[in-house]
């Protein structure tokens, strides 16, 4: 809880859950063999954590679970997304999963067994060893398998925890990039912008949403957020739009033809020509043509 408070204060200048210094109440050992954690809204405005049953679950106080529940509180005070309404409830759950991933990455990067794209990977004692998979929502085992496309495979109109996979996958693609074909047969390409910029857009989007928002209005507000923060001709703006297209929401917006990419590999200063090294460019669009040159002049190109 301390790390999560620090993240919101340091990165977003948000003073606790309500932005007014709300005292954080974390109630542990809740219930008997309780396999859950939960944000309790008004009048409690606190979080409860079960100890788990010791068979399938251990204590549900992992960093990402805590950040998830904290995120529900922030959503309550920022936009009040209704959990009882199908799509707004899915967005509510999806944003909480996003904050679980973002804060785990910020507070404990590269710290196995933590995996920012798996939800609850530290609380499970039995397979599947995670609650949800943000990088591939379909891989969450039945009966909790999630859709990665709006109205696509595994869509469940009455289950917000299931349908949150659409927003989670949007955020994953916005962060990491990717290409493929979605469940409605649309070919997509998304250039990743990194988790820090994606998180900035996600938070600014939350601040623009109405309590009854749906996926389409979330797309609209996220584009406005990207435009406000990074500009309407920015790569961030295009990536937000195309990540939504990838998950089946809205239309394709083509990237500029002169988009810049990074080549990663071995660096050399002198006498590079005799060396044969491999270089990598991640998330290229399908059928892309790449031209590049290395200096000084005695290097290969």
């Amino acid at each position: 809880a301390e790390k999560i408070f620090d993240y919101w204060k340091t990165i977003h200048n948000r003073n606790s859950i309500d932005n007014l210094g709300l005292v954080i109440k974390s109630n542990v050992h809740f219930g008997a063999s309780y396999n859950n954690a939960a944000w309790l809204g008004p009048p409690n405005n606190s979080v409860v954590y079960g100890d788990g049953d010791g068979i399938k679950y251990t204590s549900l106080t992992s960093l990402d679970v805590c950040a998830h529940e904290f995120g529900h509180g922030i959503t309550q005070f920022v936009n009040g997304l209704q959990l009882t309404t199908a799509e707004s409830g899915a967005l509510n759950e999806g944003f909480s999963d996003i904050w679980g991933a973002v804060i785990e990455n910020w507070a404990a990067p590269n710290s196995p067994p933590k995996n920012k794209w798996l939800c609850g990977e530290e609380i499970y004692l039995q397979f599947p060893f995670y609650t949800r998979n943000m990088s591939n929502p379909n891989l969450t085992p039945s009966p909790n398998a999630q859709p990665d496309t709006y109205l696509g495979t595994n869509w469940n109109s009455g289950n917000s925890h299931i349908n949150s996979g659409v927003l989670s996958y949007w955020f994953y693609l916005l962060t990491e990039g990717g290409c493929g074909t979605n469940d409605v047969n649309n070919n997509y390409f998304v250039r990743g912008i990194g988790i820090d910029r994606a998180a900035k857009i996600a938070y600014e989007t939350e601040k623009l949403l109405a309590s009854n928002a749906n996926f389409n209005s979330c797309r609209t507000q996220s584009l406005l957020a990207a435009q406000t923060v990074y500009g309407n001709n920015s790569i961030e703006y295009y990536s937000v739009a195309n990540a939504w297209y990838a998950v089946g929401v809205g239309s394709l917006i083509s990237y500029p033809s002169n988009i810049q990419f990074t080549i990663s590999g071995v660096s050399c200063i002198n006498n590079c020509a005799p060396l044969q090294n491999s270089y990598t460019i991640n998330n290229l669009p399908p059928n892309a043509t790449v031209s590049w040159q290395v200096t000084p002049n005695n290097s290969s190109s």
Side-chain angles (χ1 to χ4, degrees):
E2 193 175 89
K3 288 290 187 182
I4 295 159
F5 179 95
D6 289 348
Y7 168 81
W8 285 102
K9 182 63 176 174
T10 302
I11 303 301
H12 300 292
N13 196 30
R14 185 174 184 87
N15 185 11
S16 191
I17 296 171
D18 63 350
N19 203 25
L20 296 172
L22 181 72
V23 174
I24 299 169
K25 300 176 183 178
S26 300
N27 304 284
V28 295
H29 309 304
F30 181 80
S33 300
Y34 184 56
N35 289 333
N36 205 356
W39 164 255
L40 304 182
N44 299 287
N45 290 333
S46 61
V47 185
V48 296
Y49 300 96
D51 290 325
D53 55 14
I55 301 171
K56 185 176 182 179
Y57 297 88
T58 186
S59 176
L60 283 89
T61 53
S62 65
L63 179 60
D64 59 349
V65 171
C66 188
H68 175 104
E69 303 305 341
F70 201 117
H72 280 308
I74 287 175
T75 295
Q76 173 188 308
F77 285 101
V78 169
N79 53 44
L81 281 170
Q82 301 166 8
L83 278 168
T84 55
T85 304
E87 292 195 19
S88 64
L91 292 172
N92 193 320
E93 292 294 341
F95 277 114
S96 277
D97 279 353
I98 285 170
W99 299 124
V102 168
I103 294 172
E104 192 172 72
N105 179 77
W106 181 81
N110 304 316
S111 301
K114 297 181 189 299
N115 180 330
K116 65 178 177 288
W117 298 123
L118 297 179
C119 304
E121 69 277 7
E122 294 176 273
I123 65 172
Y124 274 77
L125 300 173
Q126 294 181 0
F127 181 81
F129 301 116
Y130 57 85
T131 307
R132 290 178 289 278
N133 185 333
M134 298 175 69
S135 65
N136 191 338
N138 291 166
L139 287 184
T140 302
S142 182
N144 298 314
Q146 293 186 293
D148 61 13
T149 306
Y150 182 70
L151 300 180
T153 302
N154 299 323
W155 179 266
N156 185 325
S157 59
N159 192 316
S160 59
H161 281 92
I162 296 294
N163 295 337
S164 66
V166 174
L167 185 65
S168 295
Y169 194 54
W170 167 82
F171 185 79
Y172 169 79
L173 288 173
L174 184 60
T175 298
E176 302 285 354
C179 58
T181 304
N182 65 17
D183 291 347
V184 291
N185 293 318
N186 289 330
N187 297 319
Y188 64 85
F189 160 71
V190 182
R191 180 183 178 180
I193 63 173
I195 197 167
D196 294 335
R197 292 188 177 198
K200 176 68 172 175
I201 291 170
Y203 182 47
E204 295 303 316
T205 300
E206 277 218 72
K207 292 193 288 186
L208 296 172
L209 293 178
S211 62
N212 63 345
N214 56 25
F215 282 99
N216 189 62
S217 63
C218 188
R219 174 189 181 274
T220 299
Q221 299 303 339
S222 65
L223 285 170
L224 179 58
Q227 182 179 24
T228 300
V229 178
Y230 296 108
N232 61 356
N233 287 319
S234 63
I235 293 301
E236 290 80 6
Y237 179 84
Y238 289 102
S239 289
V240 166
N242 288 306
W244 279 117
Y245 180 75
V247 299
V249 181
S251 58
L252 176 68
I253 300 179
S254 298
Y255 284 97
S257 59
N258 62 341
I259 186 171
Q260 299 291 309
F261 287 85
T262 299
I263 300 177
S264 59
V266 177
S267 297
C268 57
I269 303 300
N270 298 310
N271 301 318
C272 295
L275 303 180
Q276 294 184 2
N277 298 314
S278 295
Y279 293 84
T280 302
I281 308 176
N282 291 323
N283 298 319
L284 281 174
N287 303 315
T289 298
V290 179
S291 299
W292 63 291
Q293 186 172 3
V294 175
T295 56
N297 292 331
N298 65 347
S299 300
S300 302
S301 63

